[in-house]
Amino acid sequence: WAQKYRRLTAKGGAAEAGPWRNDRIPQLMGVMAALDDAHPAPLVIFVGALQIAKSEVGLNWIFRTIHQAPTGILTAFPNEKQAKKWVRTRLDSGIAEIPVIRALVPLGRKIDSGNTLTEKHYTGGVLFTGSANIPSDLASISVPKVLLEEVDRWPQVLEGEGDPVELAKGRTAAFPGRVKVFVNSTPTTEEESRIWPMWLGSTMDRYYVPCPHCAAMQVLSFDNLKWADGKPQQAMLMCEECAALIEHRQKRDMLAGGEWRAEHPEMEEIAKGFHLNGLYTPIGLGRTWEDHARAWEQARGKPAKVQVFFNTRRGEVVKSDKVKLDWEEVAKRREPYELRTIPAGVLQLTAFADVQGDRIEAGILGWGRGERAV
């Protein structure tokens, strides 16, 4: 459908405006095929680096649904600002530039037009757009198709509502057997990421490409990106099979000859998951291997920059620097003492109070040498 009808625009953020070409980003065809109604998986996960066209896949899915299989759709974003920006720049520009969609969705925002920032009406359904931090945007809507964008930037909990991702997924409960939920995101930390556990519980598809020297199929891995220190301009990929060095300019043919391979094919009818890192961006549509090498040299040894590199370029989680306490280890350090007494070794007392709605919670700590507290 995208090859036949989709048009990309500069206003919509496209680096190359014009007709959609599957051969330009061939790795996306597998993701789009999983979103087709004929594919059995009700949940499709797409995790990876920035600039791998996660949002464009979502738009292709939405437009194809409106055109050829109209039904209700919910799209949700981390916050209201991002939701509105997506509608104005990506969704509206696509509607305007794709004739078959423009004929179905009214242009011009009027109260009675069926085209607003939050709702797009068309024969057979409505496209709702909301934000994850507004509970009402994710409630009182019943649809069979849901697009959840950048879920690792969503709030962990909505007060009085719980997990917003589960709340959004629950909008499909009335459509058993007809559900399709598309979740995408660049990951964050191992402890807090939403998309990473979803990915680990999926088919875990990776895109294998042939080596131009020996034709061995392999995943493009940052661990195989090689260059001499201080010379990122020399960055090349080493083949896992023959150890030959592969230049960035050879990537076009490699991507064209690639294929998705599932680590857990038994999950095919439950959760279809895809992962792409920044090495896969087509020539001219993303960062080069030299760019990645240079960025790593600048980030190495700096935890904050290392996280950005792993999240946005490798498309992987990192371990948080937050220390988690083991309650059993803490419990072992307990010592008995009598109430209303000051234990031996305490040299100074401090008091604290926390004002609640109906009370003041207060406590006293005793401090001793070596930062001992009781």
Side-chain angles (χ1 to χ4, degrees):
W1 185 94
Q3 177 88 357
K4 185 174 182 179
Y5 296 106
R6 180 78 195 278
R7 291 192 61 84
L8 302 170
T9 68
K11 182 180 179 181
E16 292 180 357
W20 177 277
R21 292 168 47 200
N22 285 329
D23 63 352
R24 191 70 174 96
I25 316 181
Q27 59 269 35
L28 297 185
M29 288 191 287
V31 186
M32 290 190 283
L35 288 169
D36 191 87
D37 294 334
H39 192 281
L43 178 62
V44 179
I45 300 111
F46 192 10
V47 59
L50 293 179
Q51 297 182 324
I52 58 171
K54 298 187 293 292
S55 292
E56 295 301 338
V57 169
L59 282 167
N60 285 346
W61 179 47
I62 288 171
F63 290 141
R64 185 265 178 188
T65 298
I66 293 173
H67 182 213
Q68 295 188 344
T71 188
I73 310 169
L74 169 64
T75 62
F77 294 80
N79 54 59
E80 188 176 13
K81 181 179 179 181
Q82 286 179 276
K84 289 181 177 179
K85 181 179 179 182
W86 177 81
V87 171
R88 291 191 183 104
T89 62
R90 310 293 288 276
L91 183 63
D92 282 353
S93 64
I95 293 172
E97 291 294 327
I98 304 173
V100 294
I101 302 300
R102 189 170 66 246
L104 299 172
V105 181
L107 293 174
R109 289 197 187 91
K110 296 179 181 178
I111 294 177
D112 59 348
S113 71
N115 184 336
T116 68
L117 276 173
T118 58
E119 296 182 15
K120 307 291 183 186
H121 291 250
Y122 43 87
T123 301
V126 182
L127 169 63
F128 301 95
T129 300
S131 57
N133 59 353
I134 301 178
S136 60
D137 283 1
L138 306 180
S140 303
I141 296 173
S142 187
V143 294
K145 296 188 177 182
V146 175
L147 166 62
L148 308 181
E149 285 268 345
E150 291 298 334
V151 293
D152 271 24
R153 278 76 191 166
W154 284 33
Q156 290 294 322
V157 177
L158 289 177
E159 187 174 354
E161 299 285 349
D163 186 339
V165 169
E166 292 304 314
L167 186 64
K169 289 166 63 178
R171 300 302 91 206
T172 64
F175 301 88
R178 298 162 52 196
V179 171
K180 189 73 74 171
V181 178
F182 181 36
V183 185
N184 71 64
S185 189
T186 299
T188 50
T189 65
E190 188 177 275
E191 295 80 3
E192 297 181 350
S193 176
R194 292 178 180 278
I195 196 78
W196 202 251
M198 292 183 185
W199 151 252
L200 295 177
S202 73
T203 55
M204 293 182 68
D205 278 61
R206 291 182 172 88
Y207 197 67
Y208 283 72
V209 296
C211 168
H213 303 285
C214 70
M217 298 296 284
Q218 59 202 281
V219 173
L220 297 182
S221 170
F222 272 87
D223 294 337
N224 294 330
L225 192 62
K226 308 296 181 183
W227 71 94
D229 282 347
K231 297 182 178 179
Q233 67 275 14
Q234 297 178 353
M236 289 190 282
L237 208 71
M238 185 178 71
C239 173
E240 292 181 349
E241 185 68 25
C242 68
L245 294 177
I246 305 168
E247 297 181 44
H248 182 259
R249 64 177 179 82
Q250 296 175 288
K251 185 165 55 170
R252 182 187 297 272
D253 290 339
M254 296 173 71
L255 295 179
E259 62 183 32
W260 287 101
R261 293 183 180 180
E263 186 172 335
H264 296 287
E266 71 277 8
M267 297 296 293
E268 189 76 17
E269 297 186 9
I270 302 171
K272 186 70 171 173
F274 301 89
H275 181 278
L276 284 176
N277 63 46
L279 297 176
Y280 285 95
T281 55
I283 296 173
L285 287 180
R287 297 166 174 136
T288 65
W289 293 349
E290 176 185 342
D291 294 333
H292 292 304
R294 194 178 304 279
W296 177 243
E297 288 199 340
Q298 295 171 352
R300 190 165 43 197
K302 303 169 184 174
K305 290 188 176 182
V306 167
Q307 176 174 344
V308 172
F309 186 91
F310 267 72
N311 292 165
T312 65
R313 293 174 184 266
R314 294 181 66 124
E316 299 171 5
V317 293
V318 295
K319 287 191 174 182
S320 171
D321 57 1
K322 296 178 181 178
V323 177
K324 285 193 172 182
L325 296 178
D326 184 336
W327 72 269
E328 292 178 328
E329 290 299 317
V330 175
K332 290 177 183 178
R333 304 183 67 173
R334 293 176 297 175
E335 297 177 7
Y337 69 93
E338 295 182 10
L339 292 176
R340 297 181 178 85
T341 64
I342 299 176
V346 170
L347 304 176
Q348 185 175 11
L349 300 177
T350 58
F352 58 90
D354 184 18
V355 180
Q356 300 294 321
D358 58 351
R359 67 193 185 281
I360 297 178
E361 295 281 354
I364 298 175
L365 279 174
W367 299 90
R369 289 187 174 89
E371 298 184 352
R372 182 169 178 264
V374 296

